Amino acid sequence: MTKKNQASASVNTGNEQQENQELIPEAPRGWTRFLWLGPSFLWMLSAAGSGELLFTPRIAAFYGYSLLWALLAAVILKWFINREVGRFSVCTGATILEGFKRLPGPKNWAIWLILVPQFFVAIATVAGLAGAAATALILVTGGTVKLWTVIIILVTAAIVFLGQYNVVEKISSYIGIARTIAVVVAATLVFPNVRELAAGLVPQIPADVKYQEILPWLGFMLAGAAGLMWYSYWVEARGYGAAGLNQEQPLQADQISNEEKKRLRGWVTLMTLSNTLAVVGALLAALAFLILGGELLRPQGLVPQENQVAETLGNLLGDLWGPFGFWFMIAIVFITFCSTTLSVQDGFGRMFADGTQIILQGFGVRGRWTNEKLLQKTYIIVLVAALPIAIYLIFGQPVGLLQLAGGIEAAHIPVVTGLTLYLNHRMLPKELKPSKLSLGGTVIAGLFFAVFAVIYLLQLTGVIGSGSGG
């Protein structure tokens, strides 16, 4: 190459870098940052129906405040995991599954490792959430739980299928805020003895504990393995960082200039703020439900279970504010479970469409059957509508179905955590990789859920005994 050609190539490279720099905008600053909180708020809402509203009062009814430390640990540690999932999408502009397919080894092995367990989680979660919502509806309209469960699944699936989820999402967001305010105020009114509450901060396991109760609670608290991965989709859809480029392939480390790295660090900071606010909001709600369950349900021996979920949860506010409180809580139960069903159907539809597209393309399939929109609509019809209806009609136990899904979610979290850390280590430039503190916190998070999952399996197989309580 002549010197003239070399100079020309150098100028072209510089122009391309400058053009690329202009494509990644600087992260919003000041008050405008709060207009970008959507992905984290969606993430928080997606777990509200199971982790907070159902399982937390249930755990409090069984074990009081003795597992408060586990609640705090699960929420804080998931902050680390979610931040690493978000970091990948912010810095590469790709979803987490797009990253997993680039891990070395047999083709798409990590995609299969994600999708196979989540297939069962999707069906059981939708069936369980819709069944729990139906327990509220029968108190107002009569009828049977099975009938209303089928109707709820069909209606919510139709909303997602027709692309109207965003409209309902805004309404459910306001309901979510009202729910959190109401339960926090109620928890303040019945606030327990501080010494009794503080005793729950000491790590301990009740003598009569059953891990089939604890594992789903920890798995769904804030977000399960699926919810953690969905955050990647919502971050990408919102256009955080490199996601604003709308490119087909993830941004590679050697494609990122120093100026772009600086801008992406700003986006990571924004994502961290968004993630933190969502965690704080979810933690307030979870603590409030724990206190209400411990103070109002446990003394009466009431436990939210199967077809009495809504009626039992209605006592959380009914015991304080009479009939108005009871029916207000019933409305919260119905709307929360339905909105969570919607977000779950939307999240699984996106994730399975993405994963299936990756797998089919790996086999050389192109054309119509790799169209992501078509795949998403197919999964909405089959995976999160038809199959959940069939499973619910067979088993008919919403709490049992959610326990099954939550147990798989908790056991799957260490897998997602390990793959995400490995992915960020391989694909991100040094300046954008997690700090030693973030790395350590995320590793501890994976180990935390792995330990509970192993103990649950040992109890399930009879290697260790289970208590009589719960």
Side-chain angles (χ1 to χ4, degrees):
M1 181 181 290
T2 65
K3 289 185 178 180
K4 183 178 180 180
N5 289 338
Q6 288 176 342
S8 177
S10 177
V11 170
N12 288 337
T13 301
N15 289 338
E16 288 172 2
Q17 287 182 346
Q18 179 64 31
E19 183 181 354
N20 200 32
Q21 287 175 16
E22 292 173 356
L23 286 173
I24 300 180
E26 291 192 13
R29 298 179 181 179
W31 288 104
T32 58
R33 292 179 297 175
F34 292 95
L35 300 176
W36 289 76
L37 302 183
S40 293
F41 198 72
L42 275 174
W43 175 61
M44 180 179 70
L45 287 176
S46 70
S50 46
E52 297 168 15
L53 182 56
L54 174 58
F55 286 122
T56 300
R58 187 176 167 88
I59 287 293
F62 282 138
Y63 307 116
Y65 303 117
S66 60
L67 293 170
L68 171 60
W69 66 273
L71 184 156
L72 294 174
V75 170
I76 293 170
L77 292 174
K78 284 184 182 180
W79 178 89
F80 284 98
I81 303 172
N82 208 52
R83 187 166 179 258
E84 293 312 305
V85 172
R87 182 193 303 275
F88 176 79
S89 291
V90 167
C91 296
T92 67
T95 66
I96 199 72
L97 285 191
E98 276 289 328
F100 288 164
K101 85 172 184 179
R102 286 169 168 75
L103 292 177
K107 183 177 289 185
N108 294 327
W109 66 273
I111 306 298
W112 286 105
L113 192 60
I114 293 298
L115 294 187
V116 171
Q118 291 302 321
F119 179 83
F120 300 99
V121 171
I123 298 169
T125 302
V126 172
L129 288 170
T135 66
L137 207 54
I138 61 169
L139 296 176
V140 180
T141 63
T144 66
V145 174
K146 286 190 175 182
L147 173 63
W148 283 117
T149 298
V150 172
I151 292 173
I152 289 170
I153 292 175
L154 290 175
V155 170
T156 53
I159 290 172
V160 178
F161 184 89
L162 296 172
Q164 300 301 309
Y165 173 57
N166 290 338
V167 177
V168 180
E169 170 200 320
K170 293 179 181 179
I171 299 173
S172 63
S173 297
Y174 293 123
I175 298 296
I177 293 171
R179 177 191 67 236
T180 300
I181 293 173
V183 297
V184 168
V185 170
T188 303
L189 294 175
V190 298
F191 202 80
N193 180 281
V194 175
R195 182 174 297 178
E196 183 181 357
L197 193 63
L201 296 174
V202 180
Q204 57 189 299
I205 298 295
D208 60 348
V209 74
K210 284 193 174 182
Y211 285 90
Q212 66 262 37
E213 296 289 346
I214 295 180
L215 194 65
W217 173 55
L218 296 178
F220 275 133
M221 179 56 59
L222 196 61
L228 292 166
M229 290 182 286
W230 296 342
Y231 187 61
S232 163
Y233 290 86
W234 292 322
V235 164
E236 186 212 28
R238 186 64 177 88
Y240 271 52
L245 296 174
N246 292 319
Q247 56 185 29
E248 293 185 4
Q249 300 296 326
L251 197 63
Q252 302 295 317
D254 58 4
Q255 296 175 314
I256 306 175
S257 68
N258 289 333
E259 175 61 25
E260 288 175 320
K261 291 173 185 175
K262 181 180 177 181
R263 293 183 178 189
L264 287 175
R265 282 197 295 270
W267 282 103
V268 171
T269 300
L270 173 63
M271 181 269 297
T272 301
L273 169 66
S274 176
N275 186 34
T276 302
L277 292 176
V279 167
V280 170
L283 180 58
L284 281 175
L287 289 173
F289 278 119
L290 188 75
I291 290 171
L292 291 173
E295 296 301 308
L296 301 178
L297 298 185
R298 184 171 171 79
Q300 301 180 62
L302 294 175
V303 178
Q305 53 191 344
E306 305 312 344
N307 291 345
Q308 285 77 47
V309 167
E311 187 175 1
T312 303
L313 290 175
N315 289 295
L316 293 178
L317 298 183
D319 288 353
L320 292 177
W321 299 325
F324 168 79
F326 177 83
W327 290 109
F328 180 65
M329 190 65 199
I330 295 301
I332 285 178
V333 168
F334 175 71
I335 294 171
T336 299
F337 283 129
C338 283
S339 64
T340 307
T341 303
L342 279 164
S343 65
V344 164
Q345 289 171 322
D346 178 69
F348 276 117
R350 290 172 186 266
M351 186 175 77
F352 272 86
D354 188 17
T356 302
Q357 184 183 53
I358 292 170
I359 290 172
L360 290 176
Q361 288 175 347
F363 285 114
V365 178
R366 295 291 187 274
R368 180 183 180 186
W369 290 107
T370 58
N371 180 284
E372 194 163 350
K373 289 294 182 183
L374 175 62
L375 288 170
Q376 187 175 350
K377 289 182 180 297
T378 301
Y379 276 115
I380 291 170
I381 294 171
V382 179
L383 181 66
V384 294
L387 289 176
I389 288 173
I391 290 298
Y392 190 86
L393 292 177
I394 293 171
F395 294 101
Q397 296 184 333
V399 175
L401 288 167
L402 287 172
Q403 284 179 328
L404 171 64
I408 298 173
E409 285 285 73
H412 212 194
I413 287 174
V415 175
V416 173
T417 302
L419 291 176
T420 302
L421 284 177
Y422 184 40
L423 185 63
N424 285 347
H425 173 72
R426 282 184 58 86
M427 290 195 63
L428 301 186
K430 180 180 178 181
E431 296 84 351
L432 296 173
K433 289 180 181 179
S435 65
K436 290 182 179 179
L437 176 62
S438 295
L439 179 62
T442 311
V443 170
I444 291 171
L447 293 174
F448 175 83
F449 291 100
V451 167
F452 273 97
V454 169
I455 295 174
Y456 167 66
L457 288 175
L458 292 175
Q459 191 177 79
L460 189 66
T461 55
V463 176
I464 62 175
S466 61
S468 59

